[in-house]
Amino acid sequence: MKLHWSPRSPYVRKVMVAAHELGLAERITCVRSVAALPTPNPVIMADNPLSKIPTLVLDNGDVLLDSRTIVEYLDSLAGPGVLVPLEGPARWRALSQQALADGLLDLLILWRNERTKPAERQTEAWIEAFATKVNTTFDRFEQQAADAPTSSFGIGEIALGCALSYADFRFAELDWRAGRPHLSKWHESFAIRPSAQATEAVDG
């Protein structure tokens, strides 16, 4: 399988953490692919006309788009049901946690794009809205970590770990750990997993 990949993309990292957890990483060939919003990449677009990563090309030529779809596919190869519960309340909890963590990532990426613009082109109301939504989401995850500490590890936890790590990578000044001891402790347990250590984000 071929994965359009970047060492900086948190969504690509989601896929690769899952692949390591499932014992499938060695079956994936990572192809360095630059996906920049203002610059469509024809190499990616040959497989994904949206010019977005992650994009997974299967051995039979089929193409899977979006980290959620790709992780479900990898889970089906290994289980299914190892990282993504198949049914019942556990499935909806896992998918909802993934959606909230992915939403956090979306906000962080949009916020970063906005603040990299020249000052005169930035929209202050948007920046304030991003900050409010991001911090409120951190608080929600802190409450969840305090109310329901768990040793389980699936797609919801992978998505959350990647989102928090991206906050460290691009928004260190946010200091999201301040006042959130349960979430901070949870992230420590994520960061020492071999799958997380093998996929740490780097500029390059």
Side-chain angles (χ1 to χ4, degrees), residues 52-125:
K52 295 178 70 175
I53 56 175
T55 294
L56 183 69
V57 183
L58 306 186
D59 294 336
N60 66 0
D62 287 349
V63 179
L64 301 181
L65 311 181
D66 184 80
S67 64
R68 302 181 195 190
T69 304
I70 295 170
V71 170
E72 286 236 28
Y73 174 75
L74 297 178
D75 196 58
S76 75
L77 294 182
V82 179
L83 297 178
V84 186
L86 296 177
E87 59 185 5
R91 176 173 176 80
W92 309 124
R93 282 195 297 268
L95 294 182
S96 291
Q97 183 176 22
Q98 176 183 215
L100 186 59
D102 283 354
L104 174 60
L105 266 178
D106 290 342
L107 285 170
L108 289 169
I109 291 169
L110 288 170
W111 189 359
R112 181 171 183 266
N113 289 342
E114 184 66 18
R115 72 178 189 173
T116 58
K117 295 177 182 177
E120 66 275 9
R121 293 181 54 202
Q122 294 180 18
T123 302
E124 187 62 30

Side-chain angles (χ1 to χ4, degrees), residues 8 10 105 108-109 112 161-171:
R8 296 175 292 191
L105 266 178
L108 289 169
I109 291 169
R112 181 171 183 266
C162 290
L164 295 176
S165 297
Y166 183 77
D168 286 337
F169 183 50
R170 294 300 193 195
F171 289 85

Side-chain angles (χ1 to χ4, degrees), residues 108 111 115 131 134-135 138-139 142 163-181 183-184 187-188:
L108 289 169
W111 189 359
R115 72 178 189 173
V134 163
N135 280 293
F138 285 145
D139 289 341
E142 167 65 15
L164 295 176
S165 297
Y166 183 77
D168 286 337
F169 183 50
R170 294 300 193 195
F171 289 85
E173 73 280 4
L174 286 182
D175 191 19
W176 62 262
R177 293 174 177 80
R180 302 183 182 101
L183 189 58
S184 178
H187 187 257
E188 289 176 6

Side-chain angles (χ1 to χ4, degrees), residues 147-171:
D147 289 346
T150 177
S151 59
S152 65
F153 192 80
I155 187 54
E157 288 76 23
I158 290 173
L160 175 57
C162 290
L164 295 176
S165 297
Y166 183 77
D168 286 337
F169 183 50
R170 294 300 193 195
F171 289 85

Side-chain angles (χ1 to χ4, degrees), residues 17-69:
V17 169
H20 281 279
E21 291 286 336
L22 296 168
L24 298 173
E26 292 185 358
R27 293 178 56 180
I28 297 174
T29 299
C30 293
V31 177
R32 181 69 171 92
S33 303
V34 178
L37 188 62
T39 311
N41 184 332
V43 175
I44 302 175
M45 293 177 73
D47 295 316
N48 180 352
L50 299 174
S51 191
K52 295 178 70 175
I53 56 175
T55 294
L56 183 69
V57 183
L58 306 186
D59 294 336
N60 66 0
D62 287 349
V63 179
L64 301 181
L65 311 181
D66 184 80
S67 64
R68 302 181 195 190
T69 304

